[in-house]
Amino acid sequence: MDGTEWNTTAGGTGGALVSTPHDVNTFFAALLVGRLLSPARLTEMRTTVAGDPERLGPDGRYGLGLITEPLSCGGVWTGHTGSARAGHHGIGAVAPDGRQVTVVVDETPTTDTAAATLLAAVDTALCPPAR
């Protein structure tokens, strides 16, 4: 479903963006290598605290607009998740080595299993296969 005409301002600053997965990847790549903010501001964003386990899982952490989640291959991915009123849900994530993924589905996860499946897809994309 094309959401470019939706009024997403009900979500405040978190809902005022209509984008593509490619755009999300481009944004996070620029943000996390320091092309958008000063080093001090990016350090502030990357400083995280334990997140709500109901929303981020037991090991998820949250900073100033950035989420971190552990990867099965070590380290954490950094990015963000979000949902739109019509049920679209997305995760944009970057691994420590710069590998990126944006996963978008047309239904907001409503069960722990569905949420875990999305996080597993992110983990699969960001963790290189063992050779």
Side-chain angles (χ1 to χ4, degrees), residues 15-36:
L17 176 69
V18 175
S19 191
T20 67
H22 180 267
D23 290 343
V24 172
N25 279 346
T26 300
F27 169 75
F28 277 122
L31 175 67
L32 296 173
V33 298
R35 289 197 326 250
L36 301 181

Side-chain angles (χ1 to χ4, degrees), residues 8-89:
T8 59
T9 58
T13 57
L17 176 69
V18 175
S19 191
T20 67
H22 180 267
D23 290 343
V24 172
N25 279 346
T26 300
F27 169 75
F28 277 122
L31 175 67
L32 296 173
V33 298
R35 289 197 326 250
L36 301 181
L37 298 174
S38 69
R41 295 292 177 244
L42 184 55
T43 297
E44 284 184 287
M45 286 187 79
R46 285 180 172 274
T47 303
T48 60
V49 297
D52 177 359
E54 295 278 323
R55 297 182 69 189
L56 299 179
D59 299 314
R61 298 184 61 82
Y62 197 80
L64 296 175
L66 290 175
I67 293 170
T68 63
E69 291 275 352
L71 288 164
S72 65
C73 55
V76 298
W77 63 257
T78 302
H80 209 283
T81 69
S83 299
R85 286 187 305 174
H88 291 59
H89 182 79

